Amino acid sequence: MKQWIQRCALLLAVMLGMLSGSAAAADRTVGQYGMLPVYGFDMQDGAYSVTMETDCELLQDTLADITVADGSITAKLLPASSRVSAISTAETDQESHAIQPDQDGVFTLSVKAMDTAIPLSVYDEQEQAWQHGSVLFRADSLPADVLLVELPDYDLIEQAIDQYQGNTSQTQESMAPVEAVSVDLPDGEYSVSAELTGGSGKAYVSTPTLMTVKDGKAYARLEWSSSNYDYMIVGTETYYNLAEEGRNSVFEIPIGCWDTKMSVIADTTAMGTPHEVQYDITFYESSIGDKGQLPQEGAKRVVFVALIIIVAGGILNHFVKKKRRV
């Protein structure tokens, strides 16, 4: 049961990591991407020599031994540098929480879990100052029969993340500026059919949509089915929402081609945090028509006709009443 929970946690960690991009990976200085904590109750009791990773210069090449007993982990560190006179795991006020070495120069500290970066400060006797960093004890350096859980393949995870980030970079680098296509039409407003695909399949754009011709070039004014889109990326350009707050998002973008999918990116805030989603939009040249074909124009005509009927009915009613009085 515990291993099943661990695998679910790993999957979630990888998914969150892929969404957060390369920044988190760049900030990590010890351990490997997506590492899960290994606690004392995940290991057989005993004393073991383990590999320790650290970004603290004074603790490089330090020997580390751990003791596991009743679910707790204790580490003994023998620094390679004689300049280390005290160690503290406190994030603030290190002086009052300083751990002193024993007569052999060994420091003993409590470890919450392995495969987890632990904030740690060492006092540099030469510089008379605290040096801050972190340490991590590798669970995969333990004998195989000590672990009561199965460790994920972190090398494979890192390869997958690197490949994902590499593919993302290649996609971004391959994007080129999108020029609006030329059309043999007078400048003005028209309608054109647009088809949106990609994403979760729930979003759509109104079609037919407004097409504006400017200096012989075609541009589309897209209205989305949601108000949660704040910008679109077409080629190398970013286009921002033109709609009023609370209304469905609207963007004016160049029509880069006819009858062929045009890749775009739309940023949505519907998931709590901004998230860029890739879509494909196809504009159909044969569908170009009069602006009056737009749904909103039809609605305007209905309202106008209804208004005429109301006014005409009011005038007729006035004359009927007047005739009765005469």
Side-chain angles (χ1 to χ4, degrees):
M1 180 66 176
K2 189 184 297 180
Q3 292 183 3
W4 181 83
I5 295 174
Q6 188 180 37
R7 291 192 183 96
C8 290
L10 170 64
L11 179 60
L12 178 60
V14 172
M15 291 175 65
L16 291 175
M18 295 179 82
L19 290 177
S20 64
S22 59
D27 292 340
R28 175 176 44 78
T29 56
V30 295
Q32 287 183 269
Y33 200 67
M35 269 190 162
L36 300 172
V38 177
Y39 299 98
F41 52 74
D42 295 323
M43 296 176 281
Q44 300 278 7
D45 287 358
Y48 315 99
S49 294
V50 296
T51 300
M52 185 185 79
E53 295 183 11
T54 181
D55 54 6
C56 183
E57 182 180 354
L58 293 181
L59 288 181
Q60 297 291 340
D61 302 319
T62 289
L63 299 177
D65 294 313
I66 66 165
T67 299
V68 181
D70 299 324
S72 298
I73 307 173
T74 303
K76 293 184 177 295
L77 308 183
L78 179 60
S81 174
S82 60
R83 291 163 54 181
V84 179
S85 62
I87 292 178
S88 175
T89 56
E91 296 186 10
T92 59
D93 193 17
Q94 286 85 5
E95 194 69 39
S96 62
H97 295 86
I99 300 170
Q100 304 297 328
D102 63 16
Q103 59 183 5
D104 297 319
V106 176
F107 293 85
T108 302
L109 59 146
S110 177
V111 177
K112 181 180 180 181
M114 300 184 72
D115 284 355
T116 299
I118 302 170
L120 183 143
S121 301
V122 298
Y123 191 77
D124 187 341
E125 192 66 34
Q126 178 177 304
E127 298 294 332
Q128 294 289 295
W130 286 95
Q131 185 184 111
H132 307 289
S134 58
V135 296
L136 178 143
F137 301 95
R138 299 277 314 215
D140 57 7
S141 64
L142 290 165
D145 58 348
V146 171
L147 289 170
L148 303 178
V149 294
E150 182 180 349
L151 295 179
D153 188 337
Y154 294 121
D155 291 333
L156 185 61
I157 293 173
E158 282 207 334
Q159 291 174 14
I161 296 298
D162 290 342
Q163 183 178 3
Y164 168 80
Q165 293 171 350
N167 290 340
T168 301
S169 300
Q170 291 174 9
T171 300
Q172 293 175 342
E173 291 174 0
S174 64
M175 296 188 72
V178 173
E179 296 285 340
V181 295
S182 299
V183 289
D184 188 18
L185 290 169
D187 286 3
E189 295 182 334
Y190 303 85
S191 66
V192 65
S193 293
E195 181 182 14
L196 180 76
T197 56
S200 65
K202 296 180 180 179
Y204 61 89
V205 294
S206 294
T207 185
T209 189
L210 178 67
M211 183 184 79
T212 303
V213 177
K214 304 175 185 177
D215 299 324
K217 303 284 187 178
Y219 301 84
R221 189 178 179 88
L222 295 176
E223 179 178 346
W224 288 72
S225 56
S226 167
S227 61
N228 294 317
Y229 293 93
D230 52 0
Y231 66 81
M232 287 183 65
I233 300 175
V234 182
T236 57
E237 294 294 324
T238 301
Y239 300 85
Y240 294 94
N241 182 19
L242 302 176
E244 297 178 1
E245 186 176 356
R247 293 184 174 272
N248 286 350
S249 301
V250 174
F251 303 90
E252 184 171 84
I253 66 171
I255 297 177
C257 54
W258 295 117
D259 306 319
T260 302
K261 290 182 178 180
M262 185 175 78
S263 293
V264 301
I265 293 173
D267 186 75
T268 177
T269 58
M271 295 175 234
T273 55
H275 184 57
E276 292 184 350
V277 182
Q278 186 165 338
Y279 296 94
D280 291 317
I281 300 179
T282 305
F283 297 97
Y284 296 98
E285 186 175 15
S286 61
S287 69
I288 296 176
D290 186 81
K291 178 185 175 182
Q293 296 181 18
L294 297 173
Q296 55 267 40
E297 294 301 316
K300 288 179 182 178
R301 288 196 300 272
V302 171
V303 172
F304 180 72
V305 171
L307 183 61
I308 292 177
I309 293 174
I310 292 172
V311 172
I315 295 174
L316 179 60
N317 187 52
H318 170 75
F319 282 107
V320 169
K321 288 183 178 180
K322 183 177 180 181
K323 184 176 182 181
R324 287 177 179 173
R325 287 197 297 267
V326 173

